[in-house]
C-alpha cells in the first residue's frame, strides 16, 4: 500500500565538523520534526550526501566524519523506528543514474543562473563540473523518494525551485512519475512550525552581524560541537556585545545580546519570549554571559558523553538497513524514469 504521509528528507554534508549554528539551526529542528512525523507514518530519510562531499575539500576522513554526523542526530535525541532511514548517497547508485537522466532535461542556461555556482566559481581559474552539476544531483536525491519536505536553508531555495521545474518538465514530457517537493516558502513554514517560516540563525560570536559559519577561521567566532566545555565557556564570555547596557531582544541594534538570548533559549528548550521577560530590566551583560556560558558548557558535556556511548557499529548497522530500504525505493523510481526516456 502506498504511504500517504509526506516523506521528509534531509542531508548534511560531512566535510567538516559541525558548529553550534548547525546544531541549533538544523539538527535540533530536524530531530523534533522527525520524532513527531515518524510516529504518524512519515518516512524520514536522513542521508549523507557523500557524492556532494567530493565536490570540495574534505577536512579529515570522510568515513569518520559521516559516522560522527549520524551519531550527532542520535545524541540530539532522534528516535529511531522503522520509518527512520539512514543511508549514504553513494551506496544508492540510482542517485547518479537519475542525475544523468535529469541532466538531459536541464539546460546549461538554467544551471548557469544558480547563485551558489556563481559564488563558488567566482574568480577561480578552474572549476570542477561537479560544482556546476550538483543541483541536478540534488534534484535526483529528492525526486527518487517522492520527498515533499526537504528542510533546507535559504541558500538552497533556488535548487529546490530547480528540482520542481525539472520534475514538472519531465512529467509533462513523459509521464507523471515525479512528485514535486513543497515550495521553499512551504518548506520554511513546515521547518519553523509557524506561518512566518522564520528559521533560526545563530550569529558569529565575534561579529554578530554575520551568522556563525564554519568558513570563518577565527576560533572565537564559533563553538564547535567537539569543543571542550571550558573552551566553549571562554568563547561565550568573550562574545562581542554593545554599549547600550540593556538586556533585550533587538537583532538589529543589539545582535550580540540577542544572539546570546537566542542561544540560551534554544539550549534550555525555553520559549525565547519567556527568557526575554526574565531578563527584562537587567543591565549586567556579564551575568547573561555567565548564564549562557554555563548552559552551553553543560549542554556540550552531556552531548559529548552521549556521542561517546554510541558505537561506530551501531551506526553501520543503521546504514546497512537504511541502504537496503533506500535502494528498493530509489530503484523503483529510477526504473520508471528509464522506461519513460526509452532506456
Ligand atoms: P560555510 O561557511 O562554508 O557556508 P556553514 O557554516 O554556513 O559553512 P553550511 O555547510 O553552509 O555551513 O550549512 C549547512 C546547513 O546549516 C545549511 O542548511 C545552513 O543553512 C545551516 N546553517 C549554517 N550555519 C548556520 C547558523 N549559524 N545558524 C543556523 N543554521 C546554520
Ligand atoms: Mg553556508
Amino acid at each position: 500500500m502506498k504511504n500517504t504521509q509526506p516523506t521528509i528528507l534531509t542531508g548534511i554534508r560531512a566535510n567538516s565538523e559541525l558548529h553550534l549554528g548547525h546544531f541549533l539551526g538544523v539538527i535540533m529542528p530536524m530531530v523534533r520534526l522527525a520524532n513527531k512525523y515518524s510516529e504518524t507514518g512519515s518516512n524520514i530519510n536522513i542521508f549523507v550526501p557523500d557524492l556532494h562531499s567530493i565536490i570540495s575539500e574534505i577536512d579529515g576522513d570522510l568515513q569518520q566524519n559521516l559516522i560522527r554526523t549520524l551519531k550527532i542526530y542520535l545524541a540530539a535525541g532522534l528516535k529511531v523506528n522503522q520509518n527512520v532511514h539512514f543511508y549514504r548517497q553513494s551506496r544508492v547508485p540510482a542517485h547518479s543514474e537519475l542525475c544523468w537522466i535529469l541532466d538531459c532535461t536541464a539546460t546549461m542556461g538554467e544551471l548557469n543562473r544558480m547563485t551558489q555556482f556563481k559564488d563558488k566559481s567566482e574568480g577561480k581559474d578552474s572549476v570542477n563540473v561537479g560544482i556546476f552539476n550538483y543541483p541536478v544531483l540534488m534534484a535526483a536525491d529528492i525526486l527518487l523518494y517522492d520527498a515533499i519536505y526537504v528542510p533546507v536553508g535559504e541558500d538552497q531555495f533556488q535548487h529546490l525551485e530547480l528540482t520542481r521545474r525539472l520534475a514538472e518538465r519531465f512529467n509533462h514530457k513523459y509521464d507523471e512519475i515525479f512528485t514535486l517537493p513543497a515550495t521553499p516558502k512551504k518548506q520554511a513554514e513546515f521547518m519553523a512550525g509557524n506561518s512566518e517560516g522564520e528559521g533560526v540563525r545563530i550569529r558569529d560570536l565575534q561579529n554578530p552581524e554575520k551568522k556563525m559559519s564554519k568558513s570563518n577561521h577565527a576560533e572565537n567566532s564559533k563553538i564547535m560541537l567537539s569543543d571542550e566545555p571550558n573552551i566553549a565557556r571562554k568563547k561565550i564570555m568573550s562574545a562581542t556585545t554593545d554599549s547600550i547596557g540593556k538586556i533585550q531582544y533587538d537583532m538589529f541594534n543589539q545582535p550580540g545580546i540577542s544572539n546570546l538570548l537566542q542561544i540560551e533559549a534554544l539550549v534550555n528548550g525555553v520559549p525565547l519570549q519567556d527568557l526575554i521577560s526574565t531578563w527584562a530590566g537587567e543591565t549586567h551583560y556579564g551575568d547573561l554571559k555567565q548564564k549562557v556560558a554555563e548552559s552551553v558548557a553543560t549542554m556540550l558535556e552531556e552531548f559529548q558523553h552521549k556521542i561517546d556511548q554510541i558505537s561506530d557499529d551501531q551506526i553501520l548497522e543503521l546504514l546497512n538497513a537504511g541502504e537496503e530500504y533506500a535502494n528498493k525505493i530509489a530503484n523503483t523510481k529510477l526504473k520508471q524514469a528509464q522506461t519513460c526516456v526509452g532506456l
Side-chain angles (χ1 to χ4, degrees):
M1 205 179 71
K2 200 169 171 1
N3 188 344
T4 52
Q5 299 304 316
T7 291
I8 305 172
L9 177 140
T10 187
I12 188 153
R13 294 206 313 162
N15 285 46
S16 54
E17 267 196 74
L18 301 183
H19 54 64
L20 191 66
H22 293 129
F23 189 71
L24 299 178
V26 185
I27 307 267
M28 286 306 291
M30 188 61 210
V31 166
R32 257 195 310 276
L33 284 178
N35 287 347
K36 179 169 165 199
Y37 286 91
S38 69
E39 297 253 305
T40 60
S42 274
N43 280 305
I44 313 292
N45 293 12
I46 299 181
F47 78 108
V48 182
D50 52 357
L51 295 173
H52 289 287
S53 283
I54 60 172
I55 287 173
S56 55
E57 286 304 308
I58 296 167
D59 291 344
D61 178 75
L62 181 59
Q63 297 307 316
Q64 286 300 318
N65 290 358
L66 71 86
I67 285 176
R68 181 169 160 91
T69 302
L70 294 173
K71 285 182 181 178
I72 287 173
Y73 280 98
L74 297 186
L78 178 75
K79 292 195 207 119
V80 177
N81 60 28
Q82 77 282 0
N83 294 330
V84 177
H85 315 286
F86 278 180
Y87 55 92
R88 287 161 285 199
Q89 184 188 31
S90 64
R91 304 296 174 114
V92 187
H95 289 243
S96 317
E97 297 273 336
L98 183 62
C99 177
W100 182 256
I101 293 177
L102 294 174
D103 268 337
C104 301
T105 304
T107 68
M108 296 286 288
E110 240 162 6
L111 295 187
N112 255 322
R113 280 196 295 278
M114 295 294 123
T115 54
Q116 285 285 309
F117 171 65
K118 287 188 206 162
D119 290 353
K120 295 202 158 103
S121 57
E122 205 177 1
K124 298 213 172 112
D125 294 339
S126 160
V127 177
N128 73 52
V129 177
I131 291 187
F132 182 69
N133 199 30
Y134 93 88
V136 183
L137 179 58
M138 184 171 154
D141 299 338
I142 297 168
L143 298 176
L144 280 172
Y145 302 92
D146 292 319
I148 302 284
Y149 294 112
V150 191
V152 290
E154 266 168 51
D155 51 340
Q156 297 297 319
F157 280 3
Q158 208 187 8
H159 298 158
L160 205 59
E161 290 289 14
L162 176 75
T163 302
R164 288 170 52 83
R165 212 164 46 240
L166 294 181
E168 234 171 354
R169 193 177 301 154
F170 191 98
N171 285 350
H172 183 71
K173 183 164 180 194
Y174 302 103
D175 195 4
E176 297 275 329
I177 66 163
F178 292 128
T179 303
L180 269 61
T183 60
K185 185 172 182 296
K186 284 252 158 59
Q187 302 279 354
E189 288 170 8
F190 178 75
M191 178 83 167
N194 61 47
S195 58
E196 290 88 54
E198 285 277 338
V200 168
R201 268 273 174 275
I202 301 300
R203 305 300 181 102
D204 182 308
L205 294 176
Q206 291 301 309
N207 183 1
E209 313 270 312
K210 299 197 302 189
K211 74 161 198 71
M212 187 178 285
S213 147
K214 69 172 181 294
S215 49
N216 182 347
H217 294 295
E219 281 301 316
N220 280 343
S221 71
K222 56 191 176 188
I223 289 179
M224 304 309 295
L225 294 180
S226 58
D227 274 352
E228 265 185 43
N230 255 331
I231 302 280
R233 218 178 246 124
K234 286 190 186 125
K235 289 182 180 176
I236 299 273
M237 293 310 292
S238 70
T240 302
T241 52
D242 56 67
S243 54
I244 293 176
K246 280 188 189 161
I247 298 184
Q248 54 190 9
Y249 192 83
D250 176 351
M251 241 341 152
F252 190 72
N253 295 306
Q254 297 183 264
I257 287 295
S258 305
N259 191 37
L260 292 177
L261 286 168
Q262 173 80 274
I263 292 173
E264 174 72 2
L266 289 170
V267 166
N268 292 304
V270 176
L272 179 59
Q273 221 45 49
D274 292 3
L275 204 81
I276 294 169
S277 307
T278 310
W279 287 90
E282 301 285 339
T283 56
H284 294 293
Y285 288 179
D287 294 349
L288 176 65
K289 282 185 171 179
Q290 217 129 39
K291 185 75 182 45
V292 180
E294 216 34 61
S295 297
V296 171
T298 307
M299 189 275 280
L300 283 179
E301 204 167 294
E302 290 171 6
F303 173 76
Q304 290 166 1
H305 179 67
K306 281 189 199 148
I307 293 240
D308 289 344
Q309 287 179 318
I310 306 166
S311 70
D312 289 10
D313 282 348
Q314 217 173 317
I315 299 296
L316 289 170
E317 258 171 52
L318 287 171
L319 282 170
N320 285 335
E323 284 157 9
E324 196 176 316
Y325 163 86
N327 272 297
K328 207 168 79 206
I329 303 290
N331 285 337
T332 305
K333 186 65 80 181
L334 174 65
K335 190 93 203 264
Q336 290 174 354
Q338 287 171 328
T339 305
C340 280
V341 299
L343 293 172

